[in-house]
Structure formats: C-alpha cells, structure tokens
Amino acid sequence: MTVTRIEKSNPKYARKNTLTLTLHSDNLNRRQDVTVYNPYSQQKDLPIVILLHGVYGNNWVWMDLGGAHQVYENLRKQGLSEFVLVMPSDGGIWEGSGYLPLQQHGNFEKWIMDDVINTVIDTVDSVSSDSNLYISGLSMGGFGALRLGAKYAKRFSGISAHSSITKVEDLAIFTDVPLSQYQTADANESDIIYWCQQNKADLPPLRLDCGTSDDLIESNRDLVSKLQAAKILHQYQELAGCHEWEYWNKNLVKTLHFFNQIETNR
C-alpha cells in the first residue's frame, strides 16, 4: 500500500461536480493533491481521462487556467460521451518532476500509475478497474503522457499530447534545476521512442500537436521524425499558437474528440 492516508472534499461544500483528494504517498513521502471532475455520475465504469499539467503547475491548473471542465461540458452538450477527468499534481518537486522515477527524489511515475489511478478507482463510484483509461498532458505533462502511455501501453486506450517536452533536455527551457537531478536508474527510462519501440505491438491510438510559434516546435518535429522512422502509427498536427493556456484551452477539444472516437469505435 503506497497511499497511507486519503482526505476527500465534501460535495456539500466543494465546487460543483468536483472532487479534491489529498493523498499521502509513500512513493513521494509527502502529501499531494488530485482534482477529479464529474465524479458523481450515476453511470458505471466510465472511461477515465488523466490530464497531466506542465512545469510550474499543480492539480488545479487544468480547470482554473485551462477551463477543462467548461470545454468538457460544452462538448457534452454536442454529444460527447461521458468521461471522468482526473487532474493530479505531478508530485510537487522543483518546478516539475517530469513524471519520472527519480533515483534520489521520489517515484513520480508510480505516483501517477499506482497511487493516483488506483485511488480514483477505489474512491469514485462511477469508475472501476473495468474503466477504459486515457492519458493526455501539456508541455511537461505531454512528455509524461507520451512516455507513460508508451511504457504502460497495455493499460491505456489512447494517448494525446499538446506542446510536449519530448526529452529531458527540453526541461532546461523552463527550469534552472540541473538536468543531472532528473537522472533515472536506466538511461532509456526517459526515452519516449524507446518505450514506443518496446511496446509497439500494444500501443494504443496516439496523437500529438504543437503550436507553430511554440519554442518546442522543433523538438516535436524531431520526435515525429523518429516516430515515422520507427513506423510508429500516430497523428500529428501543427496548429496556430504558442506555449500558453489559450492554445491548450482551445485544443483540448481535439484530445476529447480523439478519445471519444476511440470509445465510439470500441
């Protein structure tokens, strides 16, 4: 058991249709927060969409800076299937953890894959171990979504990423933390293409996009070239915009439509 204590918000007082969890994780040796949107549906086994935030962020930014819940509700009115949105903290170290299993600082991968996912399944009545699992993210969260989605390919039904950091070196654009602090036990651990190749037969549908004015555009183009060379099936779009919430608010629609199409075609 890696979560030793759970605190849950009371729907009587909390924001409408929103659950906040605080978990004490042995993987992190600290408390961290998770926001869940649409937790109280009467439906069962609803698909779960994990939304990972970027550098400087936390569990609240997808809603309070990106309006993810509003995007979702607008799409629901247009016929989108019902999902449960799960928005965890990255683990709260430095400007960002990279969602990596760091040798000296905590296992931020297991925080997401074990603590967050299992706690939501155990806590939210509308989801279960039978729920289809999707993962997306922006910037550092895009890196997390691509890497975790590829490494745990059998667990996910779809992967989507916006404006992604595509390698650890990209973190230097956003933080002064020495890249040596992001060392993992295995040199391949942080390599998205490595995991895509390792689990090629099991990879779920994959999409990514990046703004043409984004500082990460060349990094994304390089990743896409490697995906093409490795014959990894994927969808890629270059869209107008830069590295900002206006872009992510607008283009979250593409992620939710993408996941919805997968659900519809199952």
Side-chain angles (χ1 to χ4, degrees):
M1 181 69 175
T2 60
V3 174
T4 55
R5 175 73 182 179
I6 304 171
E7 290 289 343
K8 302 188 296 182
S9 60
N10 186 333
K12 180 178 179 180
Y13 305 117
R15 186 193 310 208
K16 181 180 179 181
N17 209 20
T18 304
L19 170 68
T20 302
L21 303 170
T22 295
L23 317 181
H24 185 280
S25 165
D26 291 344
N27 283 314
L28 306 179
N29 195 30
R30 63 176 71 91
R31 289 171 289 115
Q32 286 296 310
D33 299 330
V34 183
T35 299
V36 183
Y37 187 75
N38 194 35
Y40 304 118
S41 171
Q42 297 304 303
Q43 300 296 316
K44 300 297 180 184
D45 304 328
L46 286 177
I48 298 167
V49 174
I50 300 171
L51 296 176
L52 302 181
H53 66 76
V55 174
Y56 319 130
N58 212 321
N59 60 297
W60 57 269
V61 296
W62 265 109
M63 288 178 65
D64 291 353
L65 291 177
H69 55 311
Q70 295 178 358
V71 173
Y72 170 78
E73 292 295 351
N74 287 336
L75 291 177
R76 283 285 292 149
K77 293 174 183 177
Q78 300 170 31
L80 185 81
S81 300
E82 199 168 1
F83 292 91
V84 171
L85 307 184
V86 176
M87 296 158 280
S89 161
D90 73 315
I93 192 171
W94 309 316
E95 286 94 343
S97 69
Y99 304 95
L100 288 163
L102 300 180
Q103 286 182 286
Q104 299 179 9
H105 306 290
N107 196 323
F108 302 93
E109 174 181 303
K110 285 190 174 182
W111 156 247
I112 300 296
M113 296 306 304
D114 293 346
D115 301 339
V116 171
I117 293 173
N118 292 339
T119 299
V120 168
I121 287 173
D122 291 343
T123 304
V124 177
D125 290 340
S126 56
V127 302
S128 74
S129 58
D130 293 325
S131 294
N132 294 326
L133 192 60
Y134 297 89
I135 190 164
S136 184
L138 62 90
S139 191
M140 181 186 72
F143 173 75
L146 292 168
R147 195 188 72 84
L148 294 175
K151 183 174 180 178
Y152 296 91
K154 289 184 177 181
R155 294 187 65 180
F156 290 104
S157 297
I159 305 166
S160 180
H162 304 283
S163 315
S164 300
I165 285 174
T166 68
K167 54 186 180 296
V168 167
E169 289 76 12
D170 289 339
L171 284 164
I173 298 172
F174 304 100
T175 177
D176 293 329
V177 175
L179 295 181
S180 60
Q181 295 295 311
Y182 289 94
Q183 292 300 311
T184 53
D186 189 321
N188 291 317
E189 187 64 64
S190 62
D191 190 333
I192 293 168
I193 296 297
Y194 171 81
W195 291 115
C196 286
Q197 291 176 318
Q198 287 291 109
N199 298 316
K200 187 174 181 178
D202 299 312
L203 279 178
L206 163 66
R207 73 165 300 280
L208 62 159
D209 62 66
C210 191
T212 53
S213 300
D214 197 308
D215 288 342
L216 292 170
I217 187 66
E218 293 302 330
S219 186
N220 276 256
R221 288 170 178 166
D222 181 62
L223 176 66
V224 168
S225 293
K226 291 175 180 176
L227 290 171
Q228 292 170 339
K231 294 181 168 53
I232 304 296
L233 293 177
H234 65 282
Q235 299 177 25
Y236 174 61
Q237 292 177 289
E238 293 188 358
L239 306 166
C242 56
H243 209 78
E244 62 182 5
W245 278 106
E246 182 179 355
Y247 178 93
W248 302 317
N249 170 268
K250 179 180 179 180
N251 292 302
L252 177 60
V253 169
K254 293 179 172 55
T255 283
L256 295 178
H257 276 312
F258 180 66
F259 293 160
N260 189 68
Q261 185 176 32
I262 297 169
E263 283 293 302
T264 301
N265 293 336
R266 293 186 74 86

